[in-house]
Amino acid sequence: MKKVFIDGSAGTTGLRIHERLASREDIELITLPEELRKDAEARGRAISESDVTFLCLPDDAAREAVTLCKSDSTVIIDCSTAHRTNPDWAYGFAELGYRDKIAKAKRIANPGCHASGFIALVHPLISAGILPANARLSCHSIT
């Protein structure tokens, strides 16, 4: 049984991930009592004991959380923007040719909904040669 910890489980993203995983019988969710939710030592222990940790935190807190991990086997999936351009992290968009890197990675940066929407539209155009790879594009999105 895989152990999963959601750091930032009180926020919208964390609550949604928890909702989706809570009913699964093949996953044990590691939770912290409310009073330890922001305690670095407790969080570090939970991250290190997990097989997979989701970081559902603001960027600075996500960067800090990674330093709390003392296990080489824990897979960390960061839902913030903190690690999206870090070359040491796998970019979590399998359809862009990252499937093998993601499968082997211990650190995965979630691309996010706005970036995914834009990339999903533009990538096929570049791959087909319709749009040059160095085209200057801008995109505005709101939630």
Side-chain angles (χ1 to χ4, degrees):
M1 180 175 300
K2 295 285 185 185
K3 293 181 180 182
V4 176
F5 177 59
I6 304 166
D7 196 2
S9 61
T12 303
T13 303
L15 287 170
R16 294 257 168 90
I17 293 171
H18 186 275
E19 233 174 59
R20 288 186 172 106
L21 298 181
S23 62
R24 292 187 50 162
E25 295 180 14
D26 60 331
I27 292 173
E28 176 189 338
L29 284 173
I30 299 171
T31 57
L32 296 176
E34 180 63 27
E35 65 272 10
L36 295 178
R37 188 168 72 80
K38 295 185 179 183
D39 180 274
E41 188 176 317
R43 289 173 50 229
R45 211 171 24 256
I47 293 168
S48 299
E49 290 173 5
S50 73
D51 295 299
V52 178
T53 288
F54 289 91
L55 302 180
C56 303
L57 304 163
D59 290 356
D60 289 340
R63 283 188 278 274
E64 176 199 23
V66 174
T67 69
L68 301 175
C69 183
K70 304 303 178 210
S71 169
D72 291 336
S73 62
T74 299
V75 174
I76 297 179
I77 301 172
D78 184 9
C79 298
S80 78
T81 64
H83 298 99
R84 288 185 185 159
T85 59
N86 185 328
D88 296 332
W89 286 62
Y91 191 63
F93 203 142
E95 294 79 7
L96 297 182
Y98 299 124
R99 189 171 311 279
D100 289 338
K101 187 173 182 180
I102 294 166
K104 297 172 189 166
K106 296 295 181 194
R107 302 293 182 263
I108 303 165
N110 178 24
C113 57
H114 297 274
S116 294
F118 183 75
I119 293 167
L121 292 171
V122 173
H123 185 265
L125 298 173
I126 292 172
S127 295
I130 296 169
L131 186 67
N134 63 350
R136 299 183 119 199
L137 304 172
S138 66
C139 177
H140 179 77
S141 65
I142 54 175
T143 302

